[in-house]
Amino acid sequence: MCLLCTMAAGEHGSLRKNMADRLTIGLDIGATKMAFAVVDVAGTVLDETVLPTLSTQPYAQTVERIAAQLNTYLAEYPLIEGIGIGVPGPINREAGVVLNAVNLGWQNCPLRDDLLAHLTRTLPVYIENDVNVGLISEYFYGKAKDMTHCVYLAIGTGLGGAVIINDQLMRGATYMEMEIGHYAIDPVNGRQCTCGQRGCVEMSISGKGLVSNATAHHADYPDTLIPVDDITTYAIIEAARHDDELATFVIDEAAEVLGQLCAWCTMIFNPNLIVLGGGLSHGIYDLVIEKTRAEMRKHCLPQSYDAVSIELSHSINAAMGASALVWYFQKESQLS
Ligand SMILES: [Zn+2]
C-alpha cells in the first residue's frame, strides 16, 4: 500500500497511463490547408492529417469533409474526449459560430452544430480564433507554461493579439478583443491600411507593413538590394542581414513600433511574459529584439518593465495547439 494514499503499490503507474490515454483532436483551419492531429494530454501527437481547405468550395461541403476525417479518428481512437478547432477570424465561442472568416468566405456559420450533426458520436467541440489558440497552445505546451499572466502577439501578414490574465483568456464584448494591429498610431501621416485608417500598428510591424514601408521609400534608396519589382518580406529581411539601408530603415521602424506595442501591453495588463508568435516573428526576432526592448523600456514604469520578459514562441504544430482548447475549456469550467 502506498504511504500517501489508499492505492496499492504500482497503481500510480497505471493512473499516469490513464492520464496519458486521455486524447483530443486538434484542427487548425487555414486559408489553404486544414491540419488535423490526435494528441494526448502530454502533447504527444499520435496521428495527423492535412487536407486542402478549398476555400472556394461551399461551406456545407467543407463541413462534410471535416466531419469525415473527424469520424475516421473517432472510430480509430475511442478515448477521444473532445475536439478543439482554430479558425482565422472572430468566433462566438459560446454558440460555436464563426462570425467572419474572410479568408474562408465564412460568415455567421454555426460550425459546431453543423459538425455535431455529422459526427458519429456527441462530444464537446470548442472553436476559437487562431490567435487565442496560439496563446493557449503556448500556455499548455510552450513558453507560457506555468505562467498566469501573459500576452501573445501574432505577427504574420497582419498583427493580432491574445491575453491570459489570472489563468483566464480575456474575452471582449463582441469577440473582437486585442485587435491591436488596427490601433492607429499615426492616423494623419501614416500609410493607408486596408481597414480604412492610416498608420495602424500593423502598417509598421507585419508582413504587409514591411512591404508597404519599403515600397513607399524605395525611390529614396537607389542603391538598395531590394528589387523594385520584388518587394517582399523575404527580400527585406535578406537585405537587412546585409546591412542594406532601406531594409534597415524598415526593420528599425518595425522594431520601434513593436517596442511601443509591448509597452502598451505591459502597462495595461502587467504580464510576466510577452510571447511573439506568427511567422514574421521568427524571421525578424534577432533583427529587432534589442531595439524593441530599448523602446519598450522608455515607455514603461520600471516595476512593470522589470516583471516582464519577451520570448519567441515555441514552434508548435497548429493542430496540436488547437487540441489544447479541450483542456483549456475543461480547466476554465472548473474555475468558474
Ligand atoms: Zn488598420
Side-chain angles (χ1 to χ4, degrees), residues 181-182 193 195 197 200:
H182 294 290
C193 180
C195 74
Q197 302 188 97
C200 289

Side-chain angles (χ1 to χ4, degrees), residues 245-320:
E245 284 188 20
L246 172 59
T248 302
F249 167 79
V250 168
I251 294 288
D252 281 354
E253 181 182 301
E256 200 172 302
V257 172
L258 180 58
Q260 290 172 22
L261 176 57
C262 288
W264 301 337
C265 291
T266 298
M267 295 303 285
I268 295 168
F269 301 113
N270 186 204
N272 295 119
L273 175 67
I274 297 174
V275 180
L276 303 181
L280 187 61
S281 289
H282 288 260
I284 64 172
Y285 184 80
D286 63 314
L287 295 170
V288 300
I289 191 61
E290 203 175 315
K291 199 174 180 69
T292 292
R293 285 208 174 98
E295 186 68 19
M296 179 183 169
R297 177 174 231 143
K298 281 195 248 169
H299 301 288
C300 283
L301 292 175
Q303 299 94 322
S304 307
Y305 180 82
D306 292 345
V308 64
S309 58
I310 303 179
E311 300 245 20
L312 195 55
S313 70
H314 189 269
S315 188
I316 293 172
N317 174 323
M320 173 187 158

Side-chain angles (χ1 to χ4, degrees), residues 182-209:
H182 294 290
Y183 180 78
I185 47 169
D186 190 3
V188 177
N189 300 312
R191 289 179 295 281
Q192 184 71 47
C193 180
T194 46
C195 74
Q197 302 188 97
R198 284 185 173 277
C200 289
V201 164
E202 74 172 36
M203 291 312 292
S204 295
I205 174 69
S206 73
K208 82 174 183 186

Side-chain angles (χ1 to χ4, degrees), residues 113-163:
D113 288 351
D114 290 340
L115 283 174
L116 283 170
H118 288 81
L119 294 183
T120 47
R121 68 181 163 94
T122 301
L123 72 175
V125 175
Y126 302 104
I127 305 173
E128 260 297 346
N129 83 62
D130 55 0
V131 180
N132 282 343
V133 169
L135 176 53
I136 285 172
S137 59
E138 290 293 327
Y139 178 72
F140 276 88
Y141 302 127
K143 296 288 176 62
K145 214 171 168 181
D146 305 322
M147 291 283 173
T148 52
H149 297 70
C150 42
V151 169
Y152 179 79
L153 299 175
I155 310 172
T157 310
L159 190 152
V163 178

Side-chain angles (χ1 to χ4, degrees), residues 3-330:
L3 295 173
L4 299 174
C5 70
T6 57
M7 283 187 173
E11 276 190 24
H12 283 142
S14 63
L15 181 68
R16 275 199 298 276
K17 181 175 181 305
N18 289 340
M19 283 296 289
D21 282 347
R22 297 185 63 190
L23 303 179
T24 61
I25 300 177
L27 164 59
D28 177 66
I29 305 180
T32 57
K33 62 178 185 168
M34 302 189 289
F36 299 73
V38 178
V39 185
D40 73 14
V41 74
T44 309
V45 176
L46 306 181
D47 216 333
E48 53 189 334
T49 305
V50 174
L51 299 178
T53 303
L54 307 176
S55 57
T56 54
Q57 188 176 53
Y59 164 75
Q61 283 177 34
T62 307
V63 167
E64 283 175 20
R65 285 196 299 126
I66 293 172
Q69 182 57 48
L70 294 175
N71 282 332
T72 302
Y73 283 149
L74 291 176
E76 204 168 332
Y77 300 93
L79 293 172
I80 287 169
E81 55 188 275
I83 298 170
I85 303 176
V87 176
I91 309 292
N92 177 337
R93 52 190 63 88
E94 291 81 19
V97 172
V98 178
L99 298 173
N100 187 17
V102 177
N103 291 337
L104 303 173
W106 294 359
Q107 272 88 40
N108 297 312
C109 293
L111 181 61
R112 183 175 65 204
D113 288 351
D114 290 340
L115 283 174
L116 283 170
H118 288 81
L119 294 183
T120 47
R121 68 181 163 94
T122 301
L123 72 175
V125 175
Y126 302 104
I127 305 173
E128 260 297 346
N129 83 62
D130 55 0
V131 180
N132 282 343
V133 169
L135 176 53
I136 285 172
S137 59
E138 290 293 327
Y139 178 72
F140 276 88
Y141 302 127
K143 296 288 176 62
K145 214 171 168 181
D146 305 322
M147 291 283 173
T148 52
H149 297 70
C150 42
V151 169
Y152 179 79
L153 299 175
I155 310 172
T157 310
L159 190 152
V163 178
I164 283 178
I165 296 279
N166 279 329
D167 286 310
Q168 290 220 292
L169 194 61
M170 187 188 75
R171 272 75 177 261
T174 60
Y175 314 104
M176 296 290 286
E177 66 279 353
M178 279 298 275
E179 284 288 354
I180 198 75
H182 294 290
Y183 180 78
I185 47 169
D186 190 3
V188 177
N189 300 312
R191 289 179 295 281
Q192 184 71 47
C193 180
T194 46
C195 74
Q197 302 188 97
R198 284 185 173 277
C200 289
V201 164
E202 74 172 36
M203 291 312 292
S204 295
I205 174 69
S206 73
K208 82 174 183 186
L210 297 190
V211 168
S212 151
N213 198 3
T215 304
H217 292 94
H218 198 277
D220 304 333
Y221 294 86
D223 297 330
T224 180
L225 298 168
I226 304 168
V228 70
D229 57 351
D230 189 30
I231 303 177
T232 61
T233 306
Y234 179 80
I236 294 164
I237 294 171
E238 276 304 293
R241 295 194 186 286
H242 290 87
D243 297 324
D244 179 86
E245 284 188 20
L246 172 59
T248 302
F249 167 79
V250 168
I251 294 288
D252 281 354
E253 181 182 301
E256 200 172 302
V257 172
L258 180 58
Q260 290 172 22
L261 176 57
C262 288
W264 301 337
C265 291
T266 298
M267 295 303 285
I268 295 168
F269 301 113
N270 186 204
N272 295 119
L273 175 67
I274 297 174
V275 180
L276 303 181
L280 187 61
S281 289
H282 288 260
I284 64 172
Y285 184 80
D286 63 314
L287 295 170
V288 300
I289 191 61
E290 203 175 315
K291 199 174 180 69
T292 292
R293 285 208 174 98
E295 186 68 19
M296 179 183 169
R297 177 174 231 143
K298 281 195 248 169
H299 301 288
C300 283
L301 292 175
Q303 299 94 322
S304 307
Y305 180 82
D306 292 345
V308 64
S309 58
I310 303 179
E311 300 245 20
L312 195 55
S313 70
H314 189 269
S315 188
I316 293 172
N317 174 323
M320 173 187 158
S323 77
L325 286 176
V326 177
W327 310 129
Y328 175 77
F329 281 101
Q330 281 187 3

